[in-house]
Amino acid sequence: TPSPAARNFTLNFTLTNLRYTADLTDPSSRRFLSTVKVTNHYVDSLLQSSSIGSVYTGCKLMRFRSGTHRDHTGIDAVCSYQTDANLAKFNREKVYHELSTMTDGVTKLGHYSLDNNSLCVDG
């Protein structure tokens, strides 16, 4: 049997209690590195608990971006999972609804607050 193939999906959301600053654009800054570490921890925990948890292989934060308010920071990530003929097809709507539920209606991600209109899962 062929080995599972890696597939990607994008995950975007906005944190409303993380002020966007220039050091979030510098991948070598302490703030960038610590924010990536914390954010990845929360996102990994959610996705490992979702319907794709058994095939989820991780997310790579691609960038932080300025939000609509100065205290908001947008996050863009590319996430991966393994798939093959024996696995169900990735269902982005199902994953979106699961993440919405697990984040209290897209309001909380660990100690971060979320813009409840910002979550996007794109397969």
Side-chain angles (χ1 to χ4, degrees):
T1 58
S3 63
R7 298 276 191 250
N8 295 327
F9 64 97
T10 59
L11 181 65
N12 313 94
F13 54 92
T14 299
L15 304 174
T16 60
N17 62 336
L18 177 66
R19 184 177 293 237
Y20 180 80
T21 57
D23 55 350
L24 286 174
T25 63
D26 178 6
S28 63
S29 77
R30 289 178 84 194
R31 186 158 191 246
F32 179 95
L33 294 170
S34 66
T35 305
V36 166
K37 184 177 180 178
V38 171
T39 304
N40 280 344
H41 168 76
Y42 291 136
V43 170
D44 284 345
S45 294
L46 287 175
L47 289 168
Q48 289 168 348
S49 300
S50 75
S51 62
I52 66 164
S54 65
V55 294
Y56 171 71
T57 58
C59 286
K60 178 176 168 74
L61 190 131
M62 301 307 289
R63 73 179 181 128
F64 293 107
R65 56 185 156 69
S66 177
T68 55
H69 302 286
R70 70 182 192 175
D71 290 337
H72 295 191
T73 298
I75 295 180
D76 300 325
V78 174
C79 303
S80 302
Y81 63 98
Q82 296 291 321
T83 187
D84 64 25
N86 298 322
L87 297 173
K89 184 178 177 189
F90 178 77
N91 183 331
R92 71 179 185 88
E93 289 181 20
K94 182 177 182 179
V95 172
Y96 171 87
H97 288 293
E98 291 172 343
L99 295 179
S100 176
T101 299
M102 289 188 275
T103 57
D104 294 332
V106 192
T107 60
K108 294 180 184 174
L109 180 66
H111 67 268
Y112 293 116
S113 297
L114 295 170
D115 175 337
N116 65 348
N117 293 313
S118 69
L119 180 62
C120 180
V121 177
D122 189 11

